[in-house]
Amino acid sequence: MADTVQEFVFNLTFPFTRTLGSTLSTFSSALAQGQIIGVRTGGRVIAPPLEYDPDTAADSGTDWVRVGPKGTVSTWTWVPEPTNLHPLDHAFGFAFITLDGADTPMLHLVDTGSESAMAAGMRVEAKLKAPADRVGRIDDIIAFVPAADPSPSEGAGEPFVAPEENDITEMDAYCDLQYVDNASPTTIMWAKALMEGRIIGQKCPQCDRTIVGPRGMCSVCAIELDESHIVEVPGRGVVSNFTIVTPTPYPGQTETEPFARCSILLDGADAVIAQQEILDVPVSEIRVGIHVEVVWAPENERSAADIDNRSRGSGGDIIVGWRTTGEPDEPAARYLDRMM
Amino acid sequence: MAPTENDIAIVGFAQLPPERRTNLTESDLVLRSTREVIAQVGIDKSEIGFTVSGSCDYLSGQGFSFVQNTDAYGMVPAINESHVEMDGAFAMYEAYVRLLQGDIDIAMAVGVGKNSNSDPSTLFTVEFDPYYLTPLGTDTWTLAALQARALIDSGKATERDFAEVVARNRANAKSNPFAQVKGDYSVDELLAADYVRNPLRRHDLPPTTDQAAAVILARGKRAYDLCERPAWITGIDHRIEAHLPTVRKDITTSVSTRLAAEAAGVGKGPIDVAEIHAPFSFQELILRESLGLDASTEVNPSGGALAAHSVMTVGLIRVGEAANQIIKNGKNRTLAHTTSGPCLQQNLVCVMEGDQ
Ligand SMILES: [Zn+2]
């Protein structure tokens, strides 16, 4: 059925702010000023610094050391086709670079323009962003480039005196991942039926429970259910549970006023469908036991685009919501002990 | 050996065929693999005292996917259940420890990974050190390539050695009905391919696989009710190194693997077969050395992780394959290995023995 989406793209994107703690705050604040530092702990200088000595788990302390800006490549690789997550949009190298004054390497980019220019032992130097663009994050160093003068870095290995208070104590991060899921046979069955204005479930031959929306299995008996187990259920039922969501502002949140999401037990079903919206009852009057019936979108406005494997029982853009029938509320005993 | 009540064995193993892209959900995969292993050992699901799975929300892109996956267990009445955001091999370790408490006899461990929903070149960036690695877009392939280059520069191996690992595993995989990548390849043919991350070529990288697997463990004499020749776990250990490969002393060896192998008693006798989880070809060379294996051990007759690599399942399959060498193939002492994290950060070693 052409109207049933078989594959859906899901972008997982969100900003994130991390607190840095004292060690990383010191590193970040120094980096924003153009100074790369390490920490001397357990007889070696670790750069970039860690809060703990990885050998002993002891506190690394505050014996800060100036390192770089030049260093030596110990191992390297080459990225011929950068992804959207890489900081450079042209081919570049990644390398372990032991900065002058440090004993452990730092992983960073090496921008040589050509793979053949990469070699262990090569001398490189940090190329930093302009002072106004620095935020104290590791990518304030745009990349390392071949050092014009391979001689040792001036001042490397000398103590670094940290300020009383660090300027930078937080770091912004961003998650940007894309997923492409494909509709499972069960999801396709559900979406096709909805497009035709039918609500279906699957009836388990072992326990006789009817599961709506179908999940391809009986989650009591742990057996597979398929097309042969499909039963049609009426678009009428009872609100068996609900929650009122008070929206807090976060990226992507479009709701501003409190709204209700209800579980509905359809007549003849043994599993509720969750996250449903009641159209004609104010949030303050939502209660369990209300009789409701389905409100379909007009046939020419139905789309299964939002019905994916993650939203089991969702009506997508096909079910607009549910309206009350006006019947007296159902006693609780009739809809307790149902499956989620 | 005569088992004591504290001895625990793998008594059943089922894996689904690996697929580059399944149209099933993770829950569907869990159901099919667990039903199969339960049927194989001939018990009712109510006899399982503990169930534990390994999976990762970030792979399929579904929050709390492991909760939905529990539908496949049939949790009415409620069962004793757990989950690790790790490979199913680590779930198996939890099941083993749970059985040691002595109050239950049977446990089931599951691994499931629908890896095809996400892009392996970017996905794992979010799991690395968020301060020093993630902002640079550091990816798994890059970290592996840096380790591979270090191995070459140390003189321990060459790119040809890497290709030989690939050719051997793909040839071994021909006799494994559960292999996704298999066939006869010449080393010269492999070496002619372009680099994805110098010195690694596409064939040095793991395939992308959707798969699930499950094992059943049993304690003491109960094991014989479920399996004629149980694979007794005689040693198991899991060691972890620093997350940042840059602070490890030498990434051309695996200290955590060596320590885990010693604690699991690998050297106490000959190992007939080892199933090693080396996601990248060259890591098999590092792991063989760190496990202390010699030429008498047959390594990865299944084709290993290069034949199918469903992250969250591949390690448990190593356990199952090594167990089956005892259960079905008459071997006496086998080893399963699983790794996790950048540049072989974490390593689990499990030694199994059959009754002689
Ligand atoms: Zn049932």
Side-chain angles (χ1 to χ4, degrees), chain A residues 100-169:
Chain A
D100 295 348
D103 295 306
T104 65
M106 157 189 284
L107 182 137
H108 218 292
L109 289 77
V110 180
D111 194 7
T112 58
S114 135
E115 184 174 4
S116 59
M118 299 291 299
M122 73 189 288
R123 292 284 288 163
V124 291
E125 65 187 321
K127 184 174 140 195
L128 280 92
K129 288 180 179 169
D133 295 334
R134 291 180 206 148
V135 294
R137 215 171 54 181
I138 192 73
D139 55 341
D140 280 0
I141 304 169
I142 300 167
F144 284 77
V145 293
D149 168 10
S151 65
S153 309
E154 229 170 276
E158 290 175 12
F160 171 77
V161 181
E164 289 280 311
E165 297 254 335
N166 287 309
D167 307 335
I168 297 170
T169 57

Side-chain angles (χ1 to χ4, degrees), chain A residues 204 206-209 218 220-221 223:
Chain A
C204 174
Q206 202 163 301
C207 71
D208 273 345
R209 286 181 173 88
C218 174
V220 173
C221 303
I223 60 172

Side-chain angles (χ1 to χ4, degrees), chain A residues 289-339:
Chain A
I290 312 176
H291 281 270
V292 292
E293 62 187 6
V294 66
V295 179
W296 296 102
E299 258 180 75
N300 58 357
E301 289 175 22
R302 290 178 194 169
S303 159
D306 284 347
I307 299 178
D308 60 25
N309 299 336
R310 299 180 300 124
S311 50
R312 194 172 53 189
S314 160
D317 294 331
I318 306 171
I319 291 177
V320 180
W322 302 78
R323 67 174 162 238
T324 49
T325 65
E327 293 160 81
D329 285 3
E330 187 79 8
R334 303 276 289 274
Y335 48 84
L336 287 177
D337 195 22
R338 302 298 177 178
M339 292 157 64

Side-chain angles (χ1 to χ4, degrees), chain A residues 55 77 115 179-180 182 312, chain B residues 21 58 71 114 198 249:
Chain A
D55 285 355
T77 185
E115 184 174 4
Y179 295 91
V180 184
N182 49 2
R312 194 172 53 189
Chain B
R21 178 71 155 161
Y58 266 107
D71 272 352
K114 183 167 181 177
N198 183 324
K249 297 250 169 18

Side-chain angles (χ1 to χ4, degrees), chain A:
Chain A
M1 181 166 177
D3 293 331
T4 305
V5 172
Q6 308 270 331
E7 207 162 62
F8 18 76
V9 176
F10 169 57
N11 291 304
L12 181 63
T13 57
F14 56 88
F16 202 87
T17 303
R18 292 183 176 278
T19 52
L20 294 172
S22 64
T23 299
L24 275 78
S25 291
T26 306
F27 171 79
S28 292
S29 301
L31 182 60
Q33 299 296 320
Q35 178 65 55
I36 310 171
I37 63 166
V39 66
R40 189 185 309 276
T41 179
R44 59 176 178 165
V45 174
I46 294 175
L50 297 178
E51 292 159 338
Y52 56 91
D53 183 323
D55 285 355
T56 61
D59 188 328
S60 292
T62 56
D63 189 359
W64 312 115
V65 179
R66 295 172 186 271
V67 296
K70 288 187 256 186
T72 304
V73 167
S74 57
T75 184
W76 61 275
T77 185
W78 188 254
V79 180
E81 291 174 28
T83 70
N84 63 315
L85 301 185
H86 290 135
L88 294 178
D89 60 7
H90 56 268
F92 66 91
F94 267 118
F96 283 7
I97 301 152
T98 307
L99 295 175
D100 295 348
D103 295 306
T104 65
M106 157 189 284
L107 182 137
H108 218 292
L109 289 77
V110 180
D111 194 7
T112 58
S114 135
E115 184 174 4
S116 59
M118 299 291 299
M122 73 189 288
R123 292 284 288 163
V124 291
E125 65 187 321
K127 184 174 140 195
L128 280 92
K129 288 180 179 169
D133 295 334
R134 291 180 206 148
V135 294
R137 215 171 54 181
I138 192 73
D139 55 341
D140 280 0
I141 304 169
I142 300 167
F144 284 77
V145 293
D149 168 10
S151 65
S153 309
E154 229 170 276
E158 290 175 12
F160 171 77
V161 181
E164 289 280 311
E165 297 254 335
N166 287 309
D167 307 335
I168 297 170
T169 57
E170 289 184 344
M171 179 188 111
D172 286 332
Y174 197 74
C175 178
D176 183 7
L177 294 172
Q178 186 172 84
Y179 295 91
V180 184
D181 201 0
N182 49 2
S184 74
T186 311
T187 300
I188 291 171
M189 279 193 287
W190 169 249
K192 273 185 180 174
L194 287 177
M195 290 295 285
E196 295 161 13
R198 296 185 301 122
I199 299 176
I200 58 165
Q202 284 171 310
K203 192 176 182 68
C204 174
Q206 202 163 301
C207 71
D208 273 345
R209 286 181 173 88
T210 297
I211 296 155
V212 183
R215 55 189 72 166
M217 65 186 71
C218 174
S219 40
V220 173
C221 303
I223 60 172
E224 279 175 51
L225 301 179
D226 59 29
E227 238 161 315
S228 71
H229 302 103
I230 289 183
V231 292
E232 198 163 329
V233 291
R236 301 168 61 87
V238 174
V239 172
S240 64
N241 205 345
F242 70 94
T243 186
I244 294 170
V245 182
T246 305
T248 51
Y250 60 79
Q253 172 64 277
T254 55
E255 301 284 351
T256 55
E257 298 304 314
F259 59 95
R261 285 291 176 267
C262 302
S263 294
I264 296 174
L265 182 67
L266 296 178
D267 294 351
D270 294 286
V272 301
I273 51 173
Q275 304 280 335
Q276 306 295 320
E277 185 178 354
I278 311 297
L279 299 171
D280 58 352
V281 180
V283 163
S284 60
E285 289 170 33
I286 298 274
R287 60 198 182 277
V288 295
I290 312 176
H291 281 270
V292 292
E293 62 187 6
V294 66
V295 179
W296 296 102
E299 258 180 75
N300 58 357
E301 289 175 22
R302 290 178 194 169
S303 159
D306 284 347
I307 299 178
D308 60 25
N309 299 336
R310 299 180 300 124
S311 50
R312 194 172 53 189
S314 160
D317 294 331
I318 306 171
I319 291 177
V320 180
W322 302 78
R323 67 174 162 238
T324 49
T325 65
E327 293 160 81
D329 285 3
E330 187 79 8
R334 303 276 289 274
Y335 48 84
L336 287 177
D337 195 22
R338 302 298 177 178
M339 292 157 64
M340 280 289 287

